[in-house]
């Protein structure tokens, strides 16, 4: 009571004991607000202010009230001498220990999750993506066989739904606003990736280098041709048609079935963003349904999880048996439109880029989050068991990887693959790639269990993934590595194989500059052959990609947002700086970005700002608090060090003070 009494909004605090089914007793507090409290302020805003006040006073969180009541003084029972009666006050005010658990603090309502391990696992997946695209098959030798089991792809979607549902936020009522906010914190960097991809494209693909003779597959002599490009299946003879439609498709994130035939493939994995946006569109509906119908119902959630896993297995098995006998291309021949090889190619590509089949993993991830929140494995006395489970899953994945590496390299038959897809040189290429995708998706039950166990933070695998350098230095760049590794790989190839001079690159009749059409696969696909560098150069390219990500976060994006602000000032004019509640403004900025109303003790992981949103929130905060005359100077590097919204507020307060001191 003494700690709360110093708060200007508090006239009278009366603390009392509240029965608790979980802890025996908890601290409750009845508050009579003073005249200084803003009229009509919501209770939750008062609670946020009081918690922040207690934290500033270094009052131990274990002593903070978890039950709050706000009302007039006359409703509180008193003795004849006007002293407050605390005995029985909890029952008098309606706190019986049976009320909704959501009235408690986060510690009581949300499961313990090791988000550091989740961040580390996500960066591991980004490294796997880069491994599949950097280094020639010959250079990697038998290690290239690991690319034939693409388990990482569905894990991205599984983690997406899991991470978004795990904070157990209230119902998403403003679904469109939530979608726009979530998409908005990823789109600026995605758009920058598009700009670089288009620049790389125009270096080698212009009207003067356009070949109107479209081919669905690679042709003999592609590697030795001067830079060239062909059209799309929809516009095979028109460079402008292909270019304009490609820009339209990628700007609006439509590079999936059924739109892929009208577009070039600008990026290895930029199709993933289209899948993510569409999965994001259905997430609010799925989340609200799970929260309102199945939350805390472990049995029903487990039945639903089993049903979804069975559905996934059925989908991929049916797809395999439907297309395994497809016909492939004959080298050097140009198949007629509508012929069997083209039909097989189009069918496999359409299956791979069909959103509902990937959105299924998003739903599985959301259900997994509700199971985790209900069961709370990290808070069990035997939580260490889940460390063993995670480590066993790791050993299984390592065992499968070792088996793949032990297989013959090159044009020899591979074991543990179906007969129709065990030789990359002689089997139908589309069918071979089909199995590489399906074999990874078949592992969804294992990867789901793996993520569940890792989330507890227990076990040796979690310890490795929680490494400070891996999580805090590399982890925040996982999304950018995914976006930019192709562009950086192309630049690296151009610089190390003759420089950026086209004359040098064409020397001796050999095309040195990496070009999609020079290194395309034996079928029409969203990615060409990997950048043809040596295996050890993979680590150099990854290092360059991380460095480029740092450059984008700390140098390029601030300039972009500053330019935007200057344009805004030119159009609207300079606005006078106003005195604002920094904590409130930061929370509103986060809510605008994520669609989630945060508390000050919400972690950046819980609100989805751990990596992808930081450059955007930096620009938004600088724009909110700064003016043209007195600009704000927050950087992404400062926010990377923060863990909670309150830490972020402290950074903003420091920058705000510097701005005031250095400004007019």
């Amino acid at each position: 009571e003494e700690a709360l009494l110093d708060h200007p909004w508090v006239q009278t605090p009366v603390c009392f004991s509240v029965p608790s089914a979980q802890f025996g007793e908890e601290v409750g507090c009845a508050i009579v607000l003073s005249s200084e409290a803003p009229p009509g302020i919501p209770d939750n805003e008062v609670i946020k202010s009081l918690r922040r006040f207690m934290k500033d006073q270094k009052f131990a969180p274990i002593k903070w009230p978890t039950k709050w009541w706000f009302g007039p003084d006359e409703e509180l029972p008193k003795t004849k001498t006007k002293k407050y009666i605390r005995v029985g006050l909890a029952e008098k005010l309606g706190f019986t220990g049976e009320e909704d658990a959501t009235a408690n603090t986060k510690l009581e309502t949300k499961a313990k999750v090791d988000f550091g391990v989740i961040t580390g696992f996500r960066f591991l997946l980004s490294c796997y993506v880069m491994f599949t695209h950097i280094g020639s098959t010959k250079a990697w030798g038998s290690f290239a066989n690991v690319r034939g089991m693409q388990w990482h792809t569905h894990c991205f979607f599984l983690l997406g739904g899991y991470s978004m549902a795990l904070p157990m936020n209230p119902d998403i009522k403003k679904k469109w606003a939530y979608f726009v906010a979530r998409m908005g914190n990823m789109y600026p960097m995605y758009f920058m990736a598009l700009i670089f991809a288009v620049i790389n494209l125009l270096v080698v693909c212009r009207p003067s280098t356009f070949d109107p003779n479209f081919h669905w597959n690679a042709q003999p002599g592609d590697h030795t041709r001067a830079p060239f490009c062909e059209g799309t299946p929809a516009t095979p003879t028109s460079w402008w048609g292909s270019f304009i439609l490609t820009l339209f498709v990628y700007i609006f994130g439509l590079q999936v079935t059924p739109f892929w035939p009208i577009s070039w493939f600008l990026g290895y994995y930029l199709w993933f963003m289209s899948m993510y946006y569409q999965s994001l569109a259905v997430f609010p509906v799925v989340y609200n349904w799970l929260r309102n119908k199945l939350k805390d119902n472990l049995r029903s959630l487990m039945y639903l999880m089993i049903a979804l896993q069975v559905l996934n297995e059925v989908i991929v098995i049916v797809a395999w048996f439907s297309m395994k006998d497809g016909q492939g291309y004959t080298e050097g021949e140009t198949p007629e439109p509508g012929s069997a090889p083209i039909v097989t190619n189009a069918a496999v590509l359409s299956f791979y880029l069909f959103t509902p089949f990937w959105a299924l993993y998003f739903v599985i991830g959301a259900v997994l989050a509700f199971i985790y929140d209900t069961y709370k494995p990290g808070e069990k006395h035997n939580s260490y068991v889940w460390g063993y489970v995670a480590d066993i899953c790791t050993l299984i994945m390592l065992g499968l990887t070792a088996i793949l590496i032990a297989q013959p390299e090159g044009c020899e038959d591979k074991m543990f693959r179906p007969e129709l897809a065990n030789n990359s040189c002689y089997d139908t290429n589309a069918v071979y790639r089909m199995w590489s995708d399906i074999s990874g998706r078949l592992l969804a039950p294992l990867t789901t269990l793996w993520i569940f166990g890792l989330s507890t933070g227990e076990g040796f695998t979690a310890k490795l993934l929680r490494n400070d350098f891996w999580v805090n230095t590399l982890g925040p760049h996982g999304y950018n590595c995914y976006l930019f590794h192709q562009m950086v790989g192309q630049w690296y190839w151009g610089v190390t194989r003759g420089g950026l001079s086209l004359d040098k690159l064409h020397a001796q009749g050999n095309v040195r500059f990496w070009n999609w059409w020079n290194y395309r696969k034996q079928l029409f696909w969203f990615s060409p052959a990997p950048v043809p560098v040596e295996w050890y150069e993979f680590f150099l390219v990854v290092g360059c990609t991380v460095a480029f990500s740092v450059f984008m976060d700390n140098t390029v994006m601030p300039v972009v947002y500053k330019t935007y602000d200057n344009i805004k000032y030119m159009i609207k004019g300079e606005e006078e700086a106003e005195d604002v509640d920094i904590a409130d403004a930061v929370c509103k900025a986060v809510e605008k970005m994520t669609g989630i109303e945060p508390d000050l003790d919400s972690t950046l992981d819980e609100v989805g700002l751990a990596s992808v949103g930081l450059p955007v929130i930096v620009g938004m905060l600088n724009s909110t608090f700064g003016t043209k005359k007195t600009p704000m100077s927050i950087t992404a590097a400062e926010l990377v060090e923060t863990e909670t919204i309150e830490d972020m507020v402290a950074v903003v307060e420091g920058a705000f003070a510097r701005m005031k001191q250095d400004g007019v």
Side-chain angles (χ1 to χ4, degrees):
E1 292 177 0
E2 190 174 336
L4 291 170
L5 196 56
D6 291 332
H7 193 287
W9 293 355
V10 177
Q11 174 180 309
T12 304
V14 180
C15 293
F16 52 92
S17 171
V18 179
S20 170
Q22 185 173 4
F23 299 106
E25 287 185 341
E26 299 177 67
V27 179
C29 196
I31 300 291
V32 178
L33 295 176
S34 71
S35 58
E36 294 186 40
I41 186 171
D43 290 351
N44 66 318
E45 293 298 324
V46 179
I47 293 172
K48 288 180 184 178
S49 179
L50 295 176
R51 285 177 175 169
R52 186 162 64 247
F53 183 77
M54 288 186 289
K55 185 170 184 178
D56 290 341
Q57 290 191 320
K58 302 188 182 306
F59 200 65
I62 196 172
K63 298 181 181 179
W64 294 6
T66 60
K67 308 292 183 182
W68 299 88
W69 178 91
F70 300 94
D73 184 72
E74 53 266 23
E75 291 189 19
L76 296 175
K78 305 178 185 69
T79 65
K80 291 181 179 180
T81 58
K82 301 299 181 181
K83 292 183 178 179
Y84 295 99
I85 301 174
R86 290 173 173 79
V87 178
L89 184 55
E91 186 176 355
K92 168 76 174 176
L93 299 180
F95 298 116
T96 64
E98 299 175 355
E99 64 273 7
D100 188 349
T102 58
N104 293 338
T105 59
K106 287 186 171 187
L107 182 62
E108 300 149 22
T109 59
K110 296 182 181 180
K112 173 187 172 185
V113 182
D114 194 324
F115 280 103
V117 174
I118 297 299
T119 299
F121 187 69
R122 187 180 290 112
F123 188 75
L124 175 66
L125 296 179
S126 295
C127 290
Y128 201 113
V129 170
M130 291 187 281
F131 163 72
T132 62
H133 297 147
I134 299 171
S136 68
T137 300
K138 181 179 179 181
W140 277 109
S142 60
F143 281 85
N145 294 335
V146 178
R147 293 168 170 169
M149 186 178 67
Q150 299 168 0
W151 59 267
H152 62 289
T153 312
H154 77 266
C155 281
F156 274 114
F157 294 99
L158 205 159
L159 269 183
Y162 183 66
S163 300
M164 288 171 60
L166 204 51
M168 293 293 127
N169 294 297
D171 284 1
I172 303 172
K173 296 179 180 179
K174 300 177 181 179
K175 298 180 179 61
W176 173 248
Y178 181 88
F179 171 75
V180 171
R182 282 285 177 171
M183 190 175 77
N185 67 33
M186 303 181 75
Y187 193 84
M189 201 63 78
Y190 165 76
F191 189 77
M192 295 302 298
L194 287 187
I195 292 176
F196 291 123
V198 170
I199 291 173
N200 281 8
L201 174 77
L202 293 177
V203 169
V204 294
C205 183
R206 305 178 299 279
S208 60
T209 64
F210 182 72
D211 184 348
N213 299 305
F214 172 77
H215 300 91
W216 281 80
N217 58 328
Q219 298 297 300
D222 278 354
H223 293 317
T224 58
R225 290 183 64 178
F228 74 100
C229 59
E230 299 177 357
T232 68
T235 55
T237 60
S238 173
W239 184 90
W240 282 105
S242 299
F243 182 69
I244 292 173
L245 287 174
T246 296
L247 292 181
F248 172 81
V249 165
Y250 275 83
I251 288 173
F252 290 98
L254 300 175
Q255 56 271 32
V256 293
T257 304
F259 298 102
W260 61 261
I262 68 174
S263 158
W264 283 322
F265 295 116
L266 284 181
Y268 284 138
Y269 250 41
L270 294 184
W271 64 270
F272 178 89
M273 297 309 301
S274 180
M275 295 287 187
Y276 185 85
Y277 294 153
Q278 294 180 57
S279 298
L280 190 60
V282 302
F283 176 79
V285 175
V286 172
Y287 178 81
N288 288 350
W289 184 83
L290 288 171
R291 180 175 176 81
N292 294 321
K293 301 293 185 181
L294 299 181
K295 188 176 185 336
D296 298 327
N297 189 337
L298 185 59
R299 178 175 300 215
S300 296
L301 287 167
M302 288 301 299
Y303 284 151
L304 179 58
M305 174 61 76
I306 293 171
L308 292 173
Q309 294 287 0
V310 170
L311 176 61
N312 169 66
E313 302 295 309
V314 169
I315 288 173
V316 295
I317 290 173
V318 169
W320 167 251
F321 282 99
S322 299
M323 291 181 268
K324 67 182 181 66
D325 296 314
Q327 185 175 334
Y329 299 108
T330 301
E331 185 175 353
E333 293 186 3
T334 302
E336 295 294 326
S339 61
I342 292 177
V343 171
T344 299
N345 190 160
V348 172
L349 184 56
S350 295
F351 167 77
Y352 197 99
L353 297 181
F354 189 55
T355 301
F357 293 158
W358 291 111
L360 174 62
Y361 302 108
F362 221 79
V363 176
I364 290 175
V367 175
L368 182 65
F370 278 89
I371 292 175
Y372 191 94
D373 183 73
T374 301
Y375 185 68
K376 293 179 172 59
E379 295 161 43
K380 305 290 186 184
H381 71 281
N382 60 346
S383 60
Y384 63 88
V385 171
W386 289 103
Y388 295 149
V389 171
D391 289 343
I392 290 172
C393 291
T394 301
L395 290 175
I396 293 173
M397 297 302 293
L398 289 175
L400 292 173
T401 301
I403 289 173
L404 292 172
I405 294 173
Q407 302 300 302
E409 58 183 274
C411 296
E412 295 187 43
D413 290 349
K414 309 291 191 297
M415 295 180 288
F416 305 105
R417 292 180 66 105
E419 185 178 358
L420 294 172
N422 65 355
N423 193 303
S424 59
C425 298
Y426 303 114
D427 292 328
T428 299
N429 204 276
V431 175
Y432 188 90
R433 293 200 62 78
M434 178 82 169
W435 178 256
S436 297
D437 168 51
I438 283 178
S439 62
R441 297 201 206 189
L442 288 171
L443 295 175
L446 178 64
T447 55
T448 302
L449 182 62
W450 198 13
I451 291 172
F452 188 91
L454 288 173
S455 298
T456 64
E458 300 286 347
F460 184 71
T461 307
K463 183 178 180 180
L464 290 177
L465 291 175
R466 202 189 300 110
N467 175 270
D468 182 71
F469 178 77
W470 186 261
V471 173
N472 296 317
T473 302
L474 299 178
H477 302 288
Y479 175 61
N480 287 358
C481 286
Y482 153 81
L483 287 177
F484 294 117
H485 73 279
Q486 172 192 348
M487 298 77 178
V488 174
Q490 290 178 273
W491 299 334
Y492 176 88
W493 167 256
V495 169
T496 59
R497 267 64 175 177
L500 293 177
S501 167
L502 289 180
D503 292 335
K504 291 182 179 179
L505 298 178
H506 299 164
Q508 300 178 352
N510 185 22
V511 177
R512 293 289 185 180
F513 193 79
W514 191 93
N515 174 23
W516 192 94
W517 286 271
N518 287 99
Y519 293 93
R520 53 185 170 176
K521 290 188 170 73
Q522 293 300 319
L523 76 165
F524 193 74
W525 203 248
F526 58 82
S527 65
V531 176
V533 296
E534 297 297 329
W535 68 268
Y536 53 84
E537 292 177 283
F538 163 79
F539 303 99
L540 295 175
V541 176
V542 170
C544 290
T545 305
V546 171
F548 185 72
S549 172
V550 174
F551 172 72
M552 290 297 298
D553 284 347
N554 296 336
T555 305
V556 176
M557 296 311 290
V559 172
V560 170
Y561 293 122
K562 181 64 176 176
T563 302
Y564 169 79
D565 287 339
N566 288 336
I567 294 174
K568 182 178 67 174
Y569 295 144
M570 290 174 59
I571 296 174
K572 295 184 177 181
E574 179 76 23
E575 297 180 359
E576 293 294 328
E578 299 179 358
D579 291 332
V580 295
D581 184 322
I582 293 178
D584 182 64
V586 170
C587 288
K588 287 181 178 178
V590 171
E591 183 179 3
K592 183 177 180 181
M593 269 194 59
T594 65
I596 296 171
E597 182 179 352
D599 294 324
L600 287 175
D601 53 348
S602 296
T603 67
L604 269 59
D605 293 282
E606 288 177 334
V607 296
L609 289 178
S611 60
V612 299
L614 287 184
V616 182
I617 196 71
V618 166
M620 187 178 294
L621 293 175
N622 285 333
S623 177
T624 299
F625 296 106
T627 66
K628 188 174 183 180
K629 292 181 180 179
T630 55
M632 182 70 90
S633 57
I634 301 172
T635 66
E638 291 177 289
L639 293 190
V640 164
E641 301 298 324
T642 63
E643 295 183 2
T644 66
I645 300 300
E646 188 159 21
D647 295 337
M648 186 181 290
V649 170
V651 171
V652 175
E653 287 174 340
F656 194 76
R658 293 196 304 269
M659 182 189 75
K660 289 294 185 182
Q661 180 179 349
D662 300 336
V664 177

